[in-house]
Amino acid sequence: METLTTRGRALRLGATALGLALLLAGTVWGSDDHFPFGPFRMYATSNPPNEPAPDTRVEGVDSDGALVDLGQDATGIRRAEIEGQQSWYVAEPERLREVADAYADRHPDAPALAEVRIVVRWHGIADGRPTGTYHDETVVRWQAGTP
């Protein structure tokens, strides 16, 4: 076994110190976007035990009037990406055109989408347990032909 040179030891200590500094800074000031140096809060929080739990989905209506699930398999866009940018979609509904375009790219023979919407299903929770009840809330919608 060879011994580590002074320069090699200094480089390893420097890299370790830098990694620890990034972890500390990410923990104090970071967000999920800074992972792995920031906290991964997605799994670090929970809903209050008597408040509804949200379940976000993207759906569309095609030109034939049929409801279309616009999940990852249909569009290539992960639900987490939609949820993470939901406030932007609400502020600019025309951004949902990107979802319609992604669907059209993957399903060129399918009828065109006339509408795309983000819907949150609020599942009832009582004492930390599901009640089996829910209600849907459409938080934003875009219709084809609108800017």
Side-chain angles (χ1 to χ4, degrees):
M1 179 180 217
E2 296 182 32
T3 58
L4 197 58
T5 65
T6 303
R7 181 172 187 258
R9 192 174 302 120
L11 285 171
R12 286 186 183 190
L13 284 172
T16 301
L18 177 62
L20 288 173
L22 287 170
L23 283 172
L24 178 63
T27 299
V28 174
W29 297 290
S31 70
D32 285 352
D33 293 336
H34 302 122
F35 185 79
F37 295 106
F40 199 46
R41 291 188 178 104
M42 178 189 304
Y43 298 110
T45 61
S46 65
N47 292 339
N50 292 309
E51 290 190 15
D55 181 18
T56 304
R57 69 181 186 274
V58 181
E59 61 187 29
V61 177
D62 68 20
S63 56
D64 293 337
L67 188 63
V68 180
D69 175 19
L70 297 177
Q72 182 174 347
D73 291 340
T75 64
I77 302 171
R78 295 178 313 135
R79 183 175 82 169
E81 294 176 56
I82 297 292
E83 289 176 341
Q85 298 180 31
Q86 185 171 311
S87 61
W88 292 350
Y89 286 113
V90 170
E92 300 177 46
E94 63 275 2
R95 290 187 68 219
L96 287 172
R97 179 189 308 264
E98 298 167 2
V99 177
D101 292 344
Y103 175 78
D105 289 345
R106 286 185 170 227
H107 306 277
D109 297 329
L113 293 175
E115 179 178 274
V116 176
R117 55 190 175 225
I118 298 176
V119 179
V120 177
R121 175 162 287 176
W122 294 95
H123 293 274
I125 304 290
D127 297 323
R129 309 287 302 165
T131 64
T133 63
Y134 65 86
H135 73 276
D136 289 342
E137 173 190 5
T138 299
V139 293
V140 63
R141 92 175 4 131
W142 166 82
Q143 293 181 321
T146 60

mmCIF file of all heavy atoms in Angstrom, residues 94-139:
data_model
loop_
_atom_site.group_PDB
_atom_site.id
_atom_site.type_symbol
_atom_site.label_atom_id
_atom_site.label_comp_id
_atom_site.label_asym_id
_atom_site.label_seq_id
_atom_site.Cartn_x
_atom_site.Cartn_y
_atom_site.Cartn_z
ATOM 1 N N GLU A 94 -51.696 29.485 -21.264
ATOM 2 C CA GLU A 94 -51.270 29.106 -22.618
ATOM 3 C C GLU A 94 -50.047 28.194 -22.607
ATOM 4 O O GLU A 94 -49.768 27.523 -23.600
ATOM 5 C CB GLU A 94 -51.012 30.346 -23.479
ATOM 6 C CG GLU A 94 -49.899 31.243 -23.007
ATOM 7 C CD GLU A 94 -50.323 32.269 -21.947
ATOM 8 O OE1 GLU A 94 -51.492 32.273 -21.522
ATOM 9 O OE2 GLU A 94 -49.471 33.051 -21.528
ATOM 10 N N ARG A 95 -49.340 28.127 -21.481
ATOM 11 C CA ARG A 95 -48.207 27.201 -21.373
ATOM 12 C C ARG A 95 -48.662 25.741 -21.454
ATOM 13 O O ARG A 95 -47.864 24.862 -21.759
ATOM 14 C CB ARG A 95 -47.439 27.438 -20.072
ATOM 15 C CG ARG A 95 -46.678 28.755 -20.081
ATOM 16 C CD ARG A 95 -45.796 28.913 -18.864
ATOM 17 N NE ARG A 95 -44.718 27.939 -18.927
ATOM 18 C CZ ARG A 95 -44.270 27.282 -17.865
ATOM 19 N NH1 ARG A 95 -44.794 27.471 -16.694
ATOM 20 N NH2 ARG A 95 -43.281 26.422 -17.992
ATOM 21 N N LEU A 96 -49.935 25.487 -21.179
ATOM 22 C CA LEU A 96 -50.451 24.118 -21.290
ATOM 23 C C LEU A 96 -50.439 23.625 -22.737
ATOM 24 O O LEU A 96 -50.560 22.427 -22.988
ATOM 25 C CB LEU A 96 -51.853 24.018 -20.688
ATOM 26 C CG LEU A 96 -51.904 24.068 -19.165
ATOM 27 C CD1 LEU A 96 -53.344 24.163 -18.670
ATOM 28 C CD2 LEU A 96 -51.204 22.868 -18.554
ATOM 29 N N ARG A 97 -50.264 24.540 -23.671
ATOM 30 C CA ARG A 97 -50.115 24.148 -25.081
ATOM 31 C C ARG A 97 -48.915 23.202 -25.233
ATOM 32 O O ARG A 97 -48.932 22.297 -26.064
ATOM 33 C CB ARG A 97 -49.928 25.387 -25.952
ATOM 34 C CG ARG A 97 -49.745 25.078 -27.431
ATOM 35 C CD ARG A 97 -49.337 26.308 -28.240
ATOM 36 N NE ARG A 97 -50.214 27.432 -28.030
ATOM 37 C CZ ARG A 97 -51.248 27.756 -28.818
ATOM 38 N NH1 ARG A 97 -51.520 26.991 -29.856
ATOM 39 N NH2 ARG A 97 -51.967 28.812 -28.584
ATOM 40 N N GLU A 98 -47.887 23.394 -24.403
ATOM 41 C CA GLU A 98 -46.705 22.521 -24.445
ATOM 42 C C GLU A 98 -47.099 21.073 -24.158
ATOM 43 O O GLU A 98 -46.556 20.148 -24.760
ATOM 44 C CB GLU A 98 -45.664 22.987 -23.428
ATOM 45 C CG GLU A 98 -45.131 24.376 -23.682
ATOM 46 C CD GLU A 98 -44.346 24.931 -22.506
ATOM 47 O OE1 GLU A 98 -44.176 24.230 -21.487
ATOM 48 O OE2 GLU A 98 -43.894 26.085 -22.609
ATOM 49 N N VAL A 99 -48.032 20.879 -23.236
ATOM 50 C CA VAL A 99 -48.505 19.535 -22.912
ATOM 51 C C VAL A 99 -49.256 18.962 -24.117
ATOM 52 O O VAL A 99 -49.053 17.801 -24.493
ATOM 53 C CB VAL A 99 -49.398 19.551 -21.655
ATOM 54 C CG1 VAL A 99 -49.950 18.166 -21.367
ATOM 55 C CG2 VAL A 99 -48.623 20.093 -20.448
ATOM 56 N N ALA A 100 -50.105 19.778 -24.733
ATOM 57 C CA ALA A 100 -50.842 19.332 -25.919
ATOM 58 C C ALA A 100 -49.880 18.986 -27.052
ATOM 59 O O ALA A 100 -50.062 17.980 -27.745
ATOM 60 C CB ALA A 100 -51.825 20.416 -26.363
ATOM 61 N N ASP A 101 -48.836 19.789 -27.225
ATOM 62 C CA ASP A 101 -47.845 19.514 -28.268
ATOM 63 C C ASP A 101 -47.088 18.217 -27.983
ATOM 64 O O ASP A 101 -46.821 17.429 -28.896
ATOM 65 C CB ASP A 101 -46.866 20.681 -28.400
ATOM 66 C CG ASP A 101 -47.511 21.935 -28.960
ATOM 67 O OD1 ASP A 101 -48.627 21.849 -29.523
ATOM 68 O OD2 ASP A 101 -46.905 23.025 -28.810
ATOM 69 N N ALA A 102 -46.739 17.986 -26.706
ATOM 70 C CA ALA A 102 -46.032 16.759 -26.341
ATOM 71 C C ALA A 102 -46.910 15.538 -26.611
ATOM 72 O O ALA A 102 -46.438 14.509 -27.096
ATOM 73 C CB ALA A 102 -45.615 16.810 -24.869
ATOM 74 N N TYR A 103 -48.195 15.663 -26.323
ATOM 75 C CA TYR A 103 -49.136 14.570 -26.596
ATOM 76 C C TYR A 103 -49.229 14.327 -28.108
ATOM 77 O O TYR A 103 -49.185 13.181 -28.572
ATOM 78 C CB TYR A 103 -50.512 14.901 -26.014
ATOM 79 C CG TYR A 103 -51.565 13.883 -26.351
ATOM 80 C CD1 TYR A 103 -51.633 12.667 -25.665
ATOM 81 C CD2 TYR A 103 -52.496 14.118 -27.363
ATOM 82 C CE1 TYR A 103 -52.603 11.722 -25.977
ATOM 83 C CE2 TYR A 103 -53.470 13.179 -27.675
ATOM 84 C CZ TYR A 103 -53.510 11.985 -26.975
ATOM 85 O OH TYR A 103 -54.460 11.047 -27.297
ATOM 86 N N ALA A 104 -49.345 15.399 -28.878
ATOM 87 C CA ALA A 104 -49.453 15.269 -30.344
ATOM 88 C C ALA A 104 -48.207 14.625 -30.936
ATOM 89 O O ALA A 104 -48.308 13.818 -31.870
ATOM 90 C CB ALA A 104 -49.711 16.634 -30.965
ATOM 91 N N ASP A 105 -47.038 14.957 -30.401
ATOM 92 C CA ASP A 105 -45.796 14.355 -30.893
ATOM 93 C C ASP A 105 -45.771 12.838 -30.669
ATOM 94 O O ASP A 105 -45.273 12.100 -31.502
ATOM 95 C CB ASP A 105 -44.580 14.983 -30.198
ATOM 96 C CG ASP A 105 -44.320 16.410 -30.639
ATOM 97 O OD1 ASP A 105 -44.891 16.841 -31.672
ATOM 98 O OD2 ASP A 105 -43.543 17.107 -29.944
ATOM 99 N N ARG A 106 -46.306 12.396 -29.538
ATOM 100 C CA ARG A 106 -46.303 10.973 -29.211
ATOM 101 C C ARG A 106 -47.474 10.210 -29.817
ATOM 102 O O ARG A 106 -47.430 8.983 -29.915
ATOM 103 C CB ARG A 106 -46.328 10.789 -27.698
ATOM 104 C CG ARG A 106 -45.006 11.115 -27.058
ATOM 105 C CD ARG A 106 -45.034 10.804 -25.577
ATOM 106 N NE ARG A 106 -43.683 10.910 -25.065
ATOM 107 C CZ ARG A 106 -43.115 10.027 -24.293
ATOM 108 N NH1 ARG A 106 -43.779 8.961 -23.920
ATOM 109 N NH2 ARG A 106 -41.890 10.193 -23.887
ATOM 110 N N HIS A 107 -48.519 10.934 -30.185
ATOM 111 C CA HIS A 107 -49.732 10.301 -30.735
ATOM 112 C C HIS A 107 -50.176 11.042 -32.001
ATOM 113 O O HIS A 107 -51.234 11.661 -32.027
ATOM 114 C CB HIS A 107 -50.858 10.330 -29.688
ATOM 115 C CG HIS A 107 -50.460 9.720 -28.383
ATOM 116 N ND1 HIS A 107 -50.496 8.377 -28.156
ATOM 117 C CD2 HIS A 107 -49.989 10.286 -27.246
ATOM 118 C CE1 HIS A 107 -50.078 8.126 -26.930
ATOM 119 N NE2 HIS A 107 -49.754 9.270 -26.350
ATOM 120 N N PRO A 108 -49.386 10.967 -33.058
ATOM 121 C CA PRO A 108 -49.690 11.747 -34.265
ATOM 122 C C PRO A 108 -51.013 11.363 -34.937
ATOM 123 O O PRO A 108 -51.599 12.191 -35.632
ATOM 124 C CB PRO A 108 -48.496 11.467 -35.189
ATOM 125 C CG PRO A 108 -47.889 10.204 -34.682
ATOM 126 C CD PRO A 108 -48.183 10.151 -33.214
ATOM 127 N N ASP A 109 -51.492 10.159 -34.705
ATOM 128 C CA ASP A 109 -52.739 9.730 -35.345
ATOM 129 C C ASP A 109 -53.975 9.963 -34.474
ATOM 130 O O ASP A 109 -55.107 9.729 -34.922
ATOM 131 C CB ASP A 109 -52.656 8.242 -35.716
ATOM 132 C CG ASP A 109 -51.566 7.981 -36.742
ATOM 133 O OD1 ASP A 109 -51.304 8.891 -37.564
ATOM 134 O OD2 ASP A 109 -50.965 6.892 -36.710
ATOM 135 N N ALA A 110 -53.767 10.426 -33.252
ATOM 136 C CA ALA A 110 -54.895 10.660 -32.333
ATOM 137 C C ALA A 110 -55.568 11.990 -32.661
ATOM 138 O O ALA A 110 -54.942 12.897 -33.217
ATOM 139 C CB ALA A 110 -54.396 10.681 -30.898
ATOM 140 N N PRO A 111 -56.851 12.118 -32.311
ATOM 141 C CA PRO A 111 -57.518 13.415 -32.515
ATOM 142 C C PRO A 111 -56.802 14.512 -31.719
ATOM 143 O O PRO A 111 -56.271 14.259 -30.639
ATOM 144 C CB PRO A 111 -58.930 13.186 -31.962
ATOM 145 C CG PRO A 111 -59.121 11.705 -31.975
ATOM 146 C CD PRO A 111 -57.765 11.112 -31.768
ATOM 147 N N ALA A 112 -56.789 15.710 -32.246
ATOM 148 C CA ALA A 112 -56.126 16.834 -31.579
ATOM 149 C C ALA A 112 -56.830 17.150 -30.265
ATOM 150 O O ALA A 112 -58.033 16.941 -30.114
ATOM 151 C CB ALA A 112 -56.141 18.056 -32.481
ATOM 152 N N LEU A 113 -56.065 17.676 -29.328
ATOM 153 C CA LEU A 113 -56.650 18.076 -28.050
ATOM 154 C C LEU A 113 -57.306 19.434 -28.187
ATOM 155 O O LEU A 113 -56.714 20.377 -28.708
ATOM 156 C CB LEU A 113 -55.576 18.121 -26.959
ATOM 157 C CG LEU A 113 -54.980 16.776 -26.581
ATOM 158 C CD1 LEU A 113 -53.840 16.960 -25.584
ATOM 159 C CD2 LEU A 113 -56.044 15.859 -26.011
ATOM 160 N N ALA A 114 -58.534 19.532 -27.718
ATOM 161 C CA ALA A 114 -59.266 20.795 -27.738
ATOM 162 C C ALA A 114 -59.072 21.548 -26.428
ATOM 163 O O ALA A 114 -59.240 22.766 -26.380
ATOM 164 C CB ALA A 114 -60.757 20.541 -27.965
ATOM 165 N N GLU A 115 -58.716 20.806 -25.375
ATOM 166 C CA GLU A 115 -58.550 21.421 -24.057
ATOM 167 C C GLU A 115 -57.547 20.612 -23.242
ATOM 168 O O GLU A 115 -57.483 19.392 -23.356
ATOM 169 C CB GLU A 115 -59.898 21.452 -23.326
ATOM 170 C CG GLU A 115 -59.836 22.039 -21.929
ATOM 171 C CD GLU A 115 -61.199 22.085 -21.271
ATOM 172 O OE1 GLU A 115 -61.917 23.070 -21.487
ATOM 173 O OE2 GLU A 115 -61.522 21.131 -20.544
ATOM 174 N N VAL A 116 -56.759 21.324 -22.440
ATOM 175 C CA VAL A 116 -55.840 20.710 -21.477
ATOM 176 C C VAL A 116 -56.097 21.394 -20.149
ATOM 177 O O VAL A 116 -56.252 22.619 -20.094
ATOM 178 C CB VAL A 116 -54.357 20.887 -21.889
ATOM 179 C CG1 VAL A 116 -53.430 20.328 -20.823
ATOM 180 C CG2 VAL A 116 -54.092 20.231 -23.239
ATOM 181 N N ARG A 117 -56.137 20.592 -19.072
ATOM 182 C CA ARG A 117 -56.375 21.189 -17.753
ATOM 183 C C ARG A 117 -55.595 20.438 -16.678
ATOM 184 O O ARG A 117 -55.331 19.243 -16.807
ATOM 185 C CB ARG A 117 -57.859 21.217 -17.430
ATOM 186 C CG ARG A 117 -58.551 19.887 -17.510
ATOM 187 C CD ARG A 117 -60.065 20.027 -17.409
ATOM 188 N NE ARG A 117 -60.695 18.730 -17.612
ATOM 189 C CZ ARG A 117 -61.743 18.527 -18.373
ATOM 190 N NH1 ARG A 117 -62.316 19.521 -19.013
ATOM 191 N NH2 ARG A 117 -62.257 17.330 -18.495
ATOM 192 N N ILE A 118 -55.264 21.186 -15.638
ATOM 193 C CA ILE A 118 -54.657 20.596 -14.444
ATOM 194 C C ILE A 118 -55.757 20.494 -13.410
ATOM 195 O O ILE A 118 -56.414 21.486 -13.092
ATOM 196 C CB ILE A 118 -53.487 21.448 -13.926
ATOM 197 C CG1 ILE A 118 -52.377 21.523 -14.976
ATOM 198 C CG2 ILE A 118 -52.956 20.878 -12.605
ATOM 199 C CD1 ILE A 118 -51.214 22.428 -14.588
ATOM 200 N N VAL A 119 -55.968 19.288 -12.911
ATOM 201 C CA VAL A 119 -57.031 19.019 -11.954
ATOM 202 C C VAL A 119 -56.407 18.455 -10.680
ATOM 203 O O VAL A 119 -55.563 17.561 -10.738
ATOM 204 C CB VAL A 119 -58.049 18.005 -12.534
ATOM 205 C CG1 VAL A 119 -59.140 17.693 -11.528
ATOM 206 C CG2 VAL A 119 -58.631 18.528 -13.841
ATOM 207 N N VAL A 120 -56.819 19.000 -9.543
ATOM 208 C CA VAL A 120 -56.379 18.476 -8.255
ATOM 209 C C VAL A 120 -57.552 17.727 -7.631
ATOM 210 O O VAL A 120 -58.634 18.289 -7.480
ATOM 211 C CB VAL A 120 -55.907 19.603 -7.316
ATOM 212 C CG1 VAL A 120 -55.514 19.036 -5.956
ATOM 213 C CG2 VAL A 120 -54.743 20.368 -7.933
ATOM 214 N N ARG A 121 -57.320 16.471 -7.316
ATOM 215 C CA ARG A 121 -58.328 15.686 -6.592
ATOM 216 C C ARG A 121 -57.966 15.762 -5.107
ATOM 217 O O ARG A 121 -56.893 15.346 -4.696
ATOM 218 C CB ARG A 121 -58.352 14.239 -7.055
ATOM 219 C CG ARG A 121 -59.325 13.392 -6.222
ATOM 220 C CD ARG A 121 -59.680 12.112 -6.900
ATOM 221 N NE ARG A 121 -60.587 12.420 -8.012
ATOM 222 C CZ ARG A 121 -61.032 11.520 -8.871
ATOM 223 N NH1 ARG A 121 -60.657 10.264 -8.767
ATOM 224 N NH2 ARG A 121 -61.860 11.867 -9.850
ATOM 225 N N TRP A 122 -58.870 16.344 -4.336
ATOM 226 C CA TRP A 122 -58.671 16.503 -2.898
ATOM 227 C C TRP A 122 -59.323 15.322 -2.186
ATOM 228 O O TRP A 122 -60.537 15.216 -2.130
ATOM 229 C CB TRP A 122 -59.280 17.819 -2.414
ATOM 230 C CG TRP A 122 -58.560 19.008 -2.975
ATOM 231 C CD1 TRP A 122 -58.888 19.714 -4.087
ATOM 232 C CD2 TRP A 122 -57.382 19.616 -2.451
ATOM 233 N NE1 TRP A 122 -57.989 20.733 -4.289
ATOM 234 C CE2 TRP A 122 -57.050 20.691 -3.292
ATOM 235 C CE3 TRP A 122 -56.582 19.354 -1.341
ATOM 236 C CZ2 TRP A 122 -55.948 21.514 -3.074
ATOM 237 C CZ3 TRP A 122 -55.467 20.170 -1.120
ATOM 238 C CH2 TRP A 122 -55.170 21.230 -1.982
ATOM 239 N N HIS A 123 -58.482 14.436 -1.650
ATOM 240 C CA HIS A 123 -58.971 13.260 -0.932
ATOM 241 C C HIS A 123 -59.235 13.636 0.519
ATOM 242 O O HIS A 123 -58.378 14.226 1.189
ATOM 243 C CB HIS A 123 -57.944 12.128 -0.988
ATOM 244 C CG HIS A 123 -57.763 11.575 -2.357
ATOM 245 N ND1 HIS A 123 -58.572 10.585 -2.860
ATOM 246 C CD2 HIS A 123 -56.883 11.885 -3.342
ATOM 247 C CE1 HIS A 123 -58.191 10.289 -4.083
ATOM 248 N NE2 HIS A 123 -57.173 11.069 -4.408
ATOM 249 N N GLY A 124 -60.423 13.284 1.009
ATOM 250 C CA GLY A 124 -60.781 13.567 2.389
ATOM 251 C C GLY A 124 -59.933 12.773 3.371
ATOM 252 O O GLY A 124 -59.682 11.581 3.170
ATOM 253 N N ILE A 125 -59.499 13.440 4.434
ATOM 254 C CA ILE A 125 -58.686 12.814 5.478
ATOM 255 C C ILE A 125 -59.294 13.195 6.826
ATOM 256 O O ILE A 125 -59.613 14.360 7.062
ATOM 257 C CB ILE A 125 -57.218 13.309 5.430
ATOM 258 C CG1 ILE A 125 -56.590 13.080 4.056
ATOM 259 C CG2 ILE A 125 -56.383 12.677 6.543
ATOM 260 C CD1 ILE A 125 -56.329 11.641 3.707
ATOM 261 N N ALA A 126 -59.461 12.227 7.710
ATOM 262 C CA ALA A 126 -59.931 12.489 9.072
ATOM 263 C C ALA A 126 -59.066 11.669 10.022
ATOM 264 O O ALA A 126 -58.898 10.458 9.825
ATOM 265 C CB ALA A 126 -61.402 12.118 9.224
ATOM 266 N N ASP A 127 -58.502 12.317 11.011
ATOM 267 C CA ASP A 127 -57.610 11.660 11.971
ATOM 268 C C ASP A 127 -56.474 10.922 11.273
ATOM 269 O O ASP A 127 -56.071 9.830 11.680
ATOM 270 C CB ASP A 127 -58.386 10.694 12.870
ATOM 271 C CG ASP A 127 -59.421 11.402 13.729
ATOM 272 O OD1 ASP A 127 -59.127 12.536 14.188
ATOM 273 O OD2 ASP A 127 -60.514 10.851 13.922
ATOM 274 N N GLY A 128 -55.966 11.515 10.187
ATOM 275 C CA GLY A 128 -54.842 10.946 9.463
ATOM 276 C C GLY A 128 -55.185 9.745 8.607
ATOM 277 O O GLY A 128 -54.293 9.107 8.055
ATOM 278 N N ARG A 129 -56.460 9.429 8.430
ATOM 279 C CA ARG A 129 -56.891 8.280 7.640
ATOM 280 C C ARG A 129 -57.780 8.742 6.486
ATOM 281 O O ARG A 129 -58.575 9.663 6.656
ATOM 282 C CB ARG A 129 -57.686 7.296 8.510
ATOM 283 C CG ARG A 129 -57.030 6.887 9.822
ATOM 284 C CD ARG A 129 -55.876 5.968 9.666
ATOM 285 N NE ARG A 129 -56.295 4.766 8.970
ATOM 286 C CZ ARG A 129 -55.436 3.914 8.444
ATOM 287 N NH1 ARG A 129 -54.159 4.129 8.514
ATOM 288 N NH2 ARG A 129 -55.869 2.847 7.825
ATOM 289 N N PRO A 130 -57.689 8.099 5.338
ATOM 290 C CA PRO A 130 -58.567 8.465 4.219
ATOM 291 C C PRO A 130 -60.030 8.160 4.548
ATOM 292 O O PRO A 130 -60.337 7.135 5.158
ATOM 293 C CB PRO A 130 -58.074 7.608 3.057
ATOM 294 C CG PRO A 130 -57.195 6.574 3.642
ATOM 295 C CD PRO A 130 -56.765 7.022 5.003
ATOM 296 N N THR A 131 -60.899 9.068 4.120
ATOM 297 C CA THR A 131 -62.329 8.882 4.367
ATOM 298 C C THR A 131 -63.037 8.222 3.197
ATOM 299 O O THR A 131 -64.175 7.797 3.328
ATOM 300 C CB THR A 131 -63.002 10.240 4.639
ATOM 301 O OG1 THR A 131 -62.893 11.045 3.456
ATOM 302 C CG2 THR A 131 -62.389 10.949 5.823
ATOM 303 N N GLY A 132 -62.384 8.179 2.044
ATOM 304 C CA GLY A 132 -63.012 7.625 0.852
ATOM 305 C C GLY A 132 -63.767 8.670 0.043
ATOM 306 O O GLY A 132 -64.300 8.380 -1.014
ATOM 307 N N THR A 133 -63.802 9.906 0.550
ATOM 308 C CA THR A 133 -64.464 10.984 -0.182
ATOM 309 C C THR A 133 -63.414 11.815 -0.907
ATOM 310 O O THR A 133 -62.236 11.813 -0.541
ATOM 311 C CB THR A 133 -65.253 11.892 0.779
ATOM 312 O OG1 THR A 133 -64.344 12.501 1.686
ATOM 313 C CG2 THR A 133 -66.295 11.092 1.543
ATOM 314 N N TYR A 134 -63.855 12.514 -1.923
ATOM 315 C CA TYR A 134 -62.959 13.409 -2.652
ATOM 316 C C TYR A 134 -63.779 14.414 -3.429
ATOM 317 O O TYR A 134 -64.972 14.232 -3.656
ATOM 318 C CB TYR A 134 -62.028 12.645 -3.591
ATOM 319 C CG TYR A 134 -62.742 11.938 -4.717
ATOM 320 C CD1 TYR A 134 -63.045 12.608 -5.904
ATOM 321 C CD2 TYR A 134 -63.122 10.608 -4.602
ATOM 322 C CE1 TYR A 134 -63.706 11.964 -6.931
ATOM 323 C CE2 TYR A 134 -63.779 9.958 -5.632
ATOM 324 C CZ TYR A 134 -64.066 10.640 -6.789
ATOM 325 O OH TYR A 134 -64.711 10.008 -7.807
ATOM 326 N N HIS A 135 -63.113 15.489 -3.824
ATOM 327 C CA HIS A 135 -63.714 16.410 -4.796
ATOM 328 C C HIS A 135 -62.598 16.897 -5.707
ATOM 329 O O HIS A 135 -61.432 16.969 -5.317
ATOM 330 C CB HIS A 135 -64.451 17.575 -4.110
ATOM 331 C CG HIS A 135 -63.555 18.592 -3.485
ATOM 332 N ND1 HIS A 135 -63.030 18.450 -2.222
ATOM 333 C CD2 HIS A 135 -63.092 19.772 -3.956
ATOM 334 C CE1 HIS A 135 -62.277 19.502 -1.937
ATOM 335 N NE2 HIS A 135 -62.298 20.312 -2.967
ATOM 336 N N ASP A 136 -62.959 17.176 -6.953
ATOM 337 C CA ASP A 136 -62.000 17.634 -7.953
ATOM 338 C C ASP A 136 -62.072 19.144 -8.110
ATOM 339 O O ASP A 136 -63.156 19.726 -8.086
ATOM 340 C CB ASP A 136 -62.270 16.979 -9.309
ATOM 341 C CG ASP A 136 -61.922 15.500 -9.323
ATOM 342 O OD1 ASP A 136 -61.176 15.055 -8.427
ATOM 343 O OD2 ASP A 136 -62.396 14.783 -10.227
ATOM 344 N N GLU A 137 -60.897 19.742 -8.287
ATOM 345 C CA GLU A 137 -60.800 21.184 -8.520
ATOM 346 C C GLU A 137 -59.937 21.408 -9.759
ATOM 347 O O GLU A 137 -58.783 20.992 -9.792
ATOM 348 C CB GLU A 137 -60.155 21.867 -7.307
ATOM 349 C CG GLU A 137 -59.862 23.328 -7.514
ATOM 350 C CD GLU A 137 -59.013 23.932 -6.395
ATOM 351 O OE1 GLU A 137 -58.559 23.212 -5.493
ATOM 352 O OE2 GLU A 137 -58.796 25.154 -6.468
ATOM 353 N N THR A 138 -60.502 22.037 -10.772
ATOM 354 C CA THR A 138 -59.719 22.398 -11.950
ATOM 355 C C THR A 138 -59.020 23.704 -11.638
ATOM 356 O O THR A 138 -59.663 24.727 -11.437
ATOM 357 C CB THR A 138 -60.629 22.570 -13.188
ATOM 358 O OG1 THR A 138 -61.288 21.309 -13.425
ATOM 359 C CG2 THR A 138 -59.820 22.952 -14.413
ATOM 360 N N VAL A 139 -57.675 23.661 -11.569
ATOM 361 C CA VAL A 139 -56.922 24.845 -11.164
ATOM 362 C C VAL A 139 -56.544 25.721 -12.348
ATOM 363 O O VAL A 139 -56.360 26.928 -12.191
ATOM 364 C CB VAL A 139 -55.682 24.495 -10.312
ATOM 365 C CG1 VAL A 139 -56.085 23.919 -8.982
ATOM 366 C CG2 VAL A 139 -54.759 23.551 -11.039
#
